[in-house]
Amino acid sequence: VQLQASGGGAVQAGGSLNLSCVATGRIYVLNGMGWYRQAPGKERELVAGITRDGVSNYANFVKGRFTISRDNAKNMVALQMNNLEPEDTAVYYCNSRAKTTIDSSAFDYWGQGTQVTVSS
């Protein structure tokens, strides 16, 4: 399973970005999908997650500014980020817990990361 993220960039505070991530390769099922971020000198942290059935959860720091969505038919997960703050500056990684065959165990797969930079 390969995850390809896109949509990062540089914006001013208060701006918006939409991140998307597409899974390709040998996929039997994508279970949970989500977005994590890692700022310089900090540990990677969960931003938002979504189940295959569309149940979502968010980190407290999102404060209603971000919306996660997924399209199961397209093996895609997206993160709409509004009212961005300088503290949101980080590399954002998409993640999926996936199975490659009906008999395989589920493993975590990661995208390559996309940089989000928010200036004040």
Side-chain angles (χ1 to χ4, degrees):
V1 179
Q2 294 81 44
L3 299 177
Q4 181 69 44
S6 60
V11 297
Q12 291 188 328
S16 299
L17 285 172
N18 185 272
L19 306 182
S20 62
C21 177
V22 177
T24 60
R26 187 174 187 178
I27 299 170
Y28 173 70
V29 65
L30 300 173
N31 291 327
M33 302 187 79
W35 290 92
Y36 290 70
R37 71 185 189 185
Q38 187 167 18
K42 295 187 176 181
E43 293 187 352
R44 190 173 298 188
E45 60 183 354
L46 174 69
V47 177
I50 187 167
T51 69
R52 185 168 179 79
D53 295 331
V55 177
S56 58
N57 65 287
Y58 297 91
N60 289 336
F61 59 74
V62 169
K63 302 174 189 175
R65 300 178 295 130
F66 298 176
T67 302
I68 189 170
S69 61
R70 67 185 285 172
D71 185 330
N72 291 332
K74 297 180 180 179
N75 292 333
M76 187 188 74
V77 62
L79 184 70
Q80 175 65 42
M81 304 187 294
N82 298 325
N83 196 19
L84 284 160
E85 303 169 350
E87 294 74 20
D88 296 317
T89 295
V91 178
Y92 284 69
Y93 297 91
C94 62
N95 163 272
S96 179
R97 192 156 186 86
K99 297 180 64 173
T100 56
T101 70
I102 190 171
D103 296 318
S104 67
S105 299
F107 291 97
D108 281 324
Y109 295 88
W110 295 89
Q112 84 285 7
T114 184
Q115 177 70 45
V116 171
T117 303
V118 185
S119 59
S120 57

